[in-house]
Amino acid sequence: MTTDLPGDFEQLNQIARYRNRLDDIRQWLPQLSDTMTAITGYCMSLAPVRGTAPRMPGGDALAMLAPYASDADHGDDLPHPQQIIREWVETLDGRARRTWTENWRRLHDLTPMILESPWADAWRTDIDALWWRLARLTGNAPNIAPPPTRSIDDVWDALEQNPDHELTRRDLTHLGINPSTITTWRHRGKISESRPGRYRAGDILHARRTA
């Protein structure tokens, strides 16, 4: 008699691991306000200075708390919590929720589905990068090396196995395809919308190969 329990356990472990990471991200983000100050500059006045130099906000922590630019690259070296969480919900659902908390909750709920989807590798890469950066900034980083960054080629390989998976223009931008390229492919009849705003992965893959 055969059983799939080992695979099931591995899947359950992955779900628990990434839900725990999402929990950590939610808990650590407010801590940035306490850890983002750094002693910078010096006093230009000739008057006696009492105490220490003024503490000024700065560095990666401040950048992660500030609003992100709407045209910022998703793959920046500094993962932005608002951008990562919001854009993944938009990629998966076609629209984002109103607040960061609602988007966070949506990703938490969707974790089992994401880990079985063609987006699993790219999603894990983003969540891992955000988790590690917040862990370091808040002093919660474990004493082990972070996992290696996965190539986006892994996503394309997964899409090869799921040709009927539907992709939005935003999805294709994340995969490195410019909107102008999509327009050109449509005009040349290489691709068409499977339904409004969405394209079959198989059609996109064929268009890439014949470009």
Side-chain angles (χ1 to χ4, degrees):
M1 175 176 169
T2 61
T3 177
D4 293 327
L5 282 179
D8 291 343
F9 280 132
E10 174 57 28
Q11 185 70 3
L12 290 173
N13 284 338
Q14 279 216 46
I15 292 170
R17 181 184 312 128
Y18 281 92
R19 279 184 165 166
N20 286 338
R21 292 206 161 183
L22 287 170
D23 287 336
D24 290 339
I25 288 167
R26 183 185 61 172
Q27 293 170 13
W28 294 341
L29 188 58
Q31 296 177 22
L32 290 180
S33 297
D34 298 326
T35 62
M36 74 178 187
T37 55
I39 298 175
T40 60
Y42 57 93
C43 182
M44 295 296 293
S45 171
L46 297 178
V49 177
R50 295 177 180 270
T52 60
R55 295 171 66 82
M56 301 291 291
D60 287 354
L62 179 60
M64 294 180 83
L65 285 175
Y68 71 92
S70 58
D71 59 349
D73 290 336
H74 179 83
D76 281 345
D77 290 337
L78 178 64
H80 195 288
Q82 296 282 353
Q83 184 180 18
I84 295 296
I85 300 299
R86 179 185 177 84
E87 288 193 356
W88 269 112
V89 172
E90 192 168 21
T91 292
L92 295 163
D93 282 351
R95 66 178 182 87
R97 303 305 193 263
R98 290 182 304 165
T99 67
W100 188 89
T101 300
E102 289 174 322
N103 286 317
W104 175 90
R105 170 56 62 186
R106 184 60 178 155
L107 281 192
H108 199 276
D109 292 343
L110 288 175
T111 297
M113 181 275 287
I114 297 170
L115 291 172
E116 292 185 346
S117 76
W119 296 110
D121 285 342
W123 185 78
R124 279 193 298 256
T125 296
D126 277 352
I127 297 303
D128 287 342
L130 179 56
W131 186 88
W132 276 100
R133 186 58 64 98
L134 283 171
R136 290 194 186 98
L137 290 172
T138 58
N140 290 298
N143 293 321
I144 57 175
T149 301
R150 294 174 181 266
S151 170
I152 204 165
D153 288 342
D154 293 336
V155 178
W156 285 115
D157 290 342
L159 290 173
E160 290 277 4
Q161 307 304 316
N162 295 271
D164 290 327
H165 185 80
E166 292 182 323
L167 302 163
T168 65
R169 280 182 172 254
R170 181 178 291 273
D171 299 337
L172 295 171
T173 299
H174 290 335
L175 289 168
I177 298 178
N178 294 326
S180 60
T181 300
I182 301 170
T183 301
T184 299
W185 286 348
R186 288 191 64 182
H187 288 166
R188 293 178 179 175
K190 289 192 171 187
I191 61 172
S192 60
E193 293 181 336
S194 52
R195 57 193 174 105
R198 296 182 179 269
Y199 304 88
R200 284 185 66 256
D203 295 340
I204 296 296
L205 288 161
H206 178 72
R208 286 182 77 220
R209 285 192 289 264
T210 59

